[in-house]
Amino acid sequence: NQKQSFKADSSRKNFGVVIVNFKHVQQQVSAKLETWAKNIQKVFADKLKENMTKVHADVTAARVDFEHRSLDGTTEESMVTLQSIRELREKKAEWGVIVETFVKGQSLLQKGQHTFDDDWLDADNVQSNFFALEDAIAKKNDQLKDKMQALQETVLEESRKYDRQVEQLLSDWAKNKPLKAGSASQAIGAINIFEQRYGAL
């Protein structure tokens, strides 16, 4: 590397009667290179720490929220869980690449004998948290395989029920819509009733 190129076997060079001593120059150059290397390392470590902290928080929030999702509740709750599984599958692929980069980045700093801050978030912890999210998704996937048919049947039945309710509402409206002569308050009252029934669907 650059530093090693300045480590000559001899710190002196003879040019006839003139003797040049390179030792002092070598020390200055080596010190400058060492300072530059440490500064670059510090900038890299700070950026890595910032990114690891953010991704770790994002993964933790996603995992905690997902672990409270259920496929055993109402149809609506099950559908929300199903949507969460789909979304996290996409995020998982992206986070997996990023977390692997964190591990390699920390390893690089360790090889460079970097002095980590006391509040440094170890990349192994970030990776373990990500693995916990993967496990949670895998478990929900297994549950989903067992419940998919029943869930599809429930959704289909509720869809049919909703269609029947809409048909009934439209039929009632056709029969009872306020077209006959009467007071405005009666017409408004009838409309309000049908609006409430529609909103309750």
Side-chain angles (χ1 to χ4, degrees), residues 52 99 102-104 106 120-128:
M52 283 202 301
V99 169
F102 291 160
V103 173
K104 292 179 179 178
Q106 179 174 286
W120 178 265
L121 176 61
D122 196 289
D124 289 342
N125 292 337
V126 179
Q127 190 176 51
S128 296

Side-chain angles (χ1 to χ4, degrees), residues 42-68:
K42 180 66 166 58
V43 171
F44 175 73
D46 289 345
K47 193 64 178 178
L48 183 64
K49 176 183 177 181
E50 177 185 342
N51 290 334
M52 283 202 301
T53 301
K54 182 181 183 306
V55 171
H56 183 66
D58 291 344
V59 171
T60 299
R63 178 178 57 78
V64 171
D65 175 74
F66 186 67
E67 287 175 345
H68 286 86

Side-chain angles (χ1 to χ4, degrees), residues 47-136:
K47 193 64 178 178
L48 183 64
K49 176 183 177 181
E50 177 185 342
N51 290 334
M52 283 202 301
T53 301
K54 182 181 183 306
V55 171
H56 183 66
D58 291 344
V59 171
T60 299
R63 178 178 57 78
V64 171
D65 175 74
F66 186 67
E67 287 175 345
H68 286 86
R69 299 289 182 185
S70 175
L71 291 167
D72 297 321
T74 64
T75 303
E76 183 178 355
E77 291 172 342
S78 297
M79 294 304 295
V80 171
T81 300
L82 181 59
Q83 182 62 29
S84 295
I85 293 175
R86 290 172 178 169
E87 292 175 355
L88 284 179
R89 280 175 182 166
E90 297 178 3
K91 290 183 179 180
K92 181 171 72 73
E94 177 184 349
W95 281 334
V97 174
I98 294 174
V99 169
E100 185 64 28
T101 301
F102 291 160
V103 173
K104 292 179 179 178
Q106 179 174 286
S107 177
L108 187 64
L109 289 173
Q110 289 170 333
K111 290 178 180 178
Q113 298 181 334
H114 176 72
T115 301
F116 294 97
D117 296 336
D118 291 338
D119 61 345
W120 178 265
L121 176 61
D122 196 289
D124 289 342
N125 292 337
V126 179
Q127 190 176 51
S128 296
N129 190 36
F130 173 71
F131 287 159
L133 174 62
E134 283 190 317
D135 290 342

